[in-house]
Amino acid sequence: WNRLIRLAEVQLEYNAAAARGEKAPATVVAENRGVATGTVHVWVSHAKKEGLDAQISPDFSVVATAPEE
């Protein structure tokens, strides 16, 4: 489980950096974690193989509103 948790954390960090518009999200994650960028690429690849690459972000394109009274 610990391995999957770490991979999920890295994938979430990577997705967040990409969502912020970072040009090199792997580099951002690598700097935060004190590892080489290539290591992050390997981790992201492993996360994808485990099915952890889904973009987990809310869809605000449809916002519920209260009915007018």
Side-chain angles (χ1 to χ4, degrees), residues 22-44:
E22 298 287 348
K23 293 182 192 244
T27 301
V28 173
V29 175
E31 289 172 356
N32 290 342
R33 292 187 170 259
V35 298
T37 302
T39 301
V40 174
H41 286 293
V42 170
W43 289 343
V44 169

Side-chain angles (χ1 to χ4, degrees), residues 8-22 25-26 28-29 32 54-57:
E9 290 171 345
V10 168
Q11 186 66 54
L12 288 171
E13 278 184 58
Y14 183 93
N15 290 352
R20 287 192 308 270
E22 298 287 348
V28 173
V29 175
N32 290 342
Q55 290 287 337
I56 303 173
S57 58

